[in-house]
């Protein structure tokens, strides 16, 4: 079983990721015993990660970095990155 918590933590640590997002209607999530982990959906056919990006980071490179960082935890599944929002930096 792929560790959704480890994927979430790894994705949050990538510079340029402000937060994880549930996506539209909160559908990007994994249900674990006693909790719903928002922002990472682990399915048989792939892993989906939904992020809020910090402004000032090139989005294609940010998505590629998140994908590369979590690839080893995805159990060979493809990793898809959604960028749902941008956070302004001051």
């Amino acid at each position: 079983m792929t560790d959704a918590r480890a994927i979430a933590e790894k994705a949050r640590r990538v510079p340029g990721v402000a937060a994880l997002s549930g996506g539209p209607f909160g559908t990007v999530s994994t249900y674990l015993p006693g909790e719903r982990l928002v922002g990472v959906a682990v399915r048989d056919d792939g892993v989906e990660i939904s992020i809020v990006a910090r402004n000032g980071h090139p989005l294609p490179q940010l998505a590629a970095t998140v994908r590369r960082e979590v690839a080893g935890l995805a159990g060979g599944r493809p990793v898809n990155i959604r960028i749902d929002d941008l956070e302004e930096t001051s």
Side-chain angles (χ1 to χ4, degrees):
M1 171 78 183
T2 301
D3 190 348
R5 281 189 198 101
I7 291 172
E9 284 304 311
K10 196 87 155 171
R12 282 187 196 108
R13 287 191 204 121
V14 172
V17 173
L20 297 180
S21 167
F25 309 108
T27 58
V28 181
S29 60
T30 298
Y31 291 90
L32 301 169
E35 74 174 298
R36 183 172 150 250
L37 179 65
V38 174
V40 175
V42 177
R43 300 182 182 103
D44 290 340
D45 62 346
V47 175
E48 184 175 6
I49 302 171
S50 182
I51 65 171
V52 176
R54 287 193 176 94
N55 194 24
H57 293 267
L59 300 181
Q61 288 90 340
L62 178 58
T65 300
V66 173
R67 185 177 297 110
R68 184 175 56 251
E69 288 296 314
V70 305
L73 300 171
R77 295 175 179 93
V79 178
N80 298 304
I81 309 298
R82 304 173 48 106
I83 299 174
D84 281 339
D85 204 355
L86 291 173
E87 179 182 89
E88 286 292 321
T89 56
S90 46

